[in-house]
Amino acid sequence: MNKKQLIYIRIPALILSCFIAFLSLGNFLTVVTHSINIDIPEEHDVSWAIDPVNKELLFLTDFTINNQGAYDIDDIDISAKLVTENGKKLIDYNKDDLVVKRGSNKTFEIKIKTSFNDLNLIDLLEILYKNSVFKLFIDINACYMFGLIDVNVDEIIEHKWWAPLGNISQDDYIVKKLFNIIPKLDNKNRYEKIDINDFSFIDLICNQDLKTDWNYDIFIDVIDDIKHDLKTISFGINTPIDKIDGNINIGFKILFHRQNDNFDIKLKEVNIGYVAN
Amino acid sequence: MLQTKSKIPIKVILTPLFFLIIPSIAILTIFLTYPELSKENFLRRIIFIIPTSIILIFISKHSLKYEKGTSKRFYLNVSYVIFTIIWLFGFLGGNIVISETWNNFPFYINLGKYVSLIIFVATINIIYFFLEYKVFKIELESKKLKTQFSK
């Protein structure tokens, strides 16, 4: 090797050293000034809903990544796991390859749903009838600065679960009515004919000791005219529950069919949801 | 007769500039701009940077006293590279996994791959200094032989 050949090694070595110096300064500023920040949801940021028609349990939450650093955050992988108090895994959730561009903030919605069909009867009954504590394990991995830096967040959110049918189940009348209506909802045909009297128990649900007052709203959302005598009516009941610091929403979509002096009411959709205050 | 001024080598000027003055100013500026950030982090970095940068300045100055191809120069060059890694390591927080607590939840920054890149570049530099030592050693020896023959 001669002096000239030495230059061929010296030049890339110098360029790489300058590159490292440049990255280090940018990285130093990012690390020290907390330019990358992740707002993880807390207990009150988690809401749930039960969709009895599709027989699904939904958990909704979101988190925000604030990237005020010099480089994009990419390959963001999120995994969430919902576990019962006794360690039984209910839901697994994964989302991969998300990106947050530099100088931007982005909110990602975590929508975890599980079908009741995937749960065994004991777990399902536990969810519906027993107050418990759910643990939501959230694991976020991301890459920064051309994949040279890995960012990792692990968090466990403990979410108090108030069984939606916990208090209702104490009432014989409601239980009887529920047992009447649930097989109809179980039917794959959503247009199963259900008598409006089947819903008379709703008034009693809102009068349970879950609720602190009477002021629930019954509201009609939309009335769609399919034909002159055929309408779709969406309405819901919204009732605040101070005990669990939230609101219960029960929504219905019904098909209203008028035939001369008689009318048919067919249930299209029912959902029960909980929204934290 | 006018005496020619002795030239100050670039390495001797750049070392205190890049390893002491600029980082210290950067740390102080960030410290003053973001008073809400913990003082400990800055203090830890300053405490790490000052002694390592002084060692680097000392090495850079002394390495130039020796000719290329001598073992002393080679060892000083290698120690310069090693101390640069140590300096950089301290500058970035002194750990491969930096644990931060933001909004009351743990947040980890893993610099593993980045540190690997730094070590890779440092290795290239060490290889270069080794080859430089070998090439110039031959040249030095041939010079010595020439002077011996001329005598």
Side-chain angles (χ1 to χ4, degrees), chain A residues 10-26 71, chain B residues 14 18-19 84 88 114 117-118 121-122 125:
Chain A
R10 187 57 173 159
I11 290 169
L14 275 174
I15 291 168
L16 282 170
S17 301
C18 291
F19 179 62
I20 292 282
F22 175 73
L23 290 181
S24 298
L25 199 65
Y71 311 97
Chain B
L14 290 181
F18 281 127
F19 290 97
T84 307
L88 207 55
Y114 183 51
L117 180 73
I118 292 167
V121 175
N125 277 290

Side-chain angles (χ1 to χ4, degrees), chain A residues 6 13 38 95 163 203 260 274:
Chain A
L6 269 180
I38 301 180
K95 215 169 188 179
D203 195 55
N260 301 323
Y274 163 77

Side-chain angles (χ1 to χ4, degrees), chain A residues 125-193:
Chain A
L125 290 173
E126 209 176 293
I127 289 168
L128 292 174
Y129 291 99
K130 192 183 158 195
N131 291 345
S132 174
V133 176
F134 282 167
K135 285 178 184 169
L136 187 63
F137 290 84
I138 294 182
D139 182 16
I140 302 168
N141 292 302
C143 290
Y144 182 69
M145 209 170 81
F146 316 118
L148 289 171
I149 291 173
D150 297 318
V151 180
N152 178 258
V153 175
D154 284 308
E155 211 206 355
I156 304 166
I157 304 170
E158 288 204 345
H159 185 80
K160 277 182 188 165
W161 174 258
W162 297 88
L165 302 180
N167 290 12
I168 297 162
S169 64
Q170 305 296 316
D171 192 298
D172 288 341
Y173 175 76
I174 291 169
V175 169
K176 201 178 161 190
K177 284 286 178 185
L178 272 172
F179 274 99
N180 232 345
I181 201 168
I182 285 170
K184 291 177 182 177
L185 294 170
D186 266 351
N187 197 313
K188 280 181 183 173
N189 178 11
R190 290 193 192 179
Y191 296 94
E192 174 73 30
K193 199 172 174 181

Side-chain angles (χ1 to χ4, degrees), chain A residues 165-272:
Chain A
L165 302 180
N167 290 12
I168 297 162
S169 64
Q170 305 296 316
D171 192 298
D172 288 341
Y173 175 76
I174 291 169
V175 169
K176 201 178 161 190
K177 284 286 178 185
L178 272 172
F179 274 99
N180 232 345
I181 201 168
I182 285 170
K184 291 177 182 177
L185 294 170
D186 266 351
N187 197 313
K188 280 181 183 173
N189 178 11
R190 290 193 192 179
Y191 296 94
E192 174 73 30
K193 199 172 174 181
I194 295 171
D195 188 351
I196 192 73
N197 290 326
D198 286 336
F199 294 101
S200 57
F201 70 93
I202 287 163
D203 195 55
L204 274 159
I205 290 174
C206 299
N207 194 20
Q208 287 297 300
D209 61 347
L210 269 169
K211 197 170 89 50
T212 53
D213 49 39
W214 279 88
N215 61 342
Y216 60 89
D217 307 317
I218 297 179
F219 54 89
I220 291 175
D221 263 351
V222 197
I223 300 175
D224 294 326
D225 279 338
I226 300 167
K227 282 180 190 170
H228 173 67
D229 53 357
L230 193 67
K231 298 174 197 302
T232 304
I233 306 168
S234 299
F235 68 99
I237 298 166
N238 183 25
T239 180
I241 300 155
D242 289 352
K243 195 172 171 183
I244 51 173
D245 195 25
N247 283 285
I248 289 253
N249 293 317
I250 306 168
F252 301 92
K253 198 179 258 186
I254 57 167
L255 201 70
F256 185 84
H257 191 197
R258 194 172 159 178
Q259 290 171 314
N260 301 323
D261 290 336
N262 295 319
F263 59 87
D264 277 340
I265 294 172
K266 290 174 186 172
L267 183 75
K268 276 182 82 179
E269 210 173 292
V270 178
N271 60 68
I272 303 169

Side-chain angles (χ1 to χ4, degrees), chain B residues 43-57:
Chain B
L43 207 67
R44 202 175 61 220
R45 283 185 168 92
I46 288 277
I47 288 167
F48 208 92
I49 280 171
I50 292 172
T52 44
S53 60
I54 288 167
I55 293 168
L56 280 166
I57 294 163

Side-chain angles (χ1 to χ4, degrees), chain B residues 37-86:
Chain B
L37 298 175
S38 83
K39 285 177 188 173
E40 278 176 28
N41 267 339
F42 290 100
L43 207 67
R44 202 175 61 220
R45 283 185 168 92
I46 288 277
I47 288 167
F48 208 92
I49 280 171
I50 292 172
T52 44
S53 60
I54 288 167
I55 293 168
L56 280 166
I57 294 163
F58 176 82
I59 293 169
S60 68
K61 205 180 166 190
H62 278 268
S63 67
L64 295 169
K65 281 183 184 173
Y66 304 100
E67 260 189 289
K68 281 179 182 173
T70 56
S71 53
K72 276 186 183 173
R73 169 114 178 194
F74 169 67
Y75 291 131
L76 283 167
N77 280 337
V78 171
S79 46
Y80 185 85
V81 174
I82 291 164
F83 270 95
T84 307
I85 297 173
I86 296 168

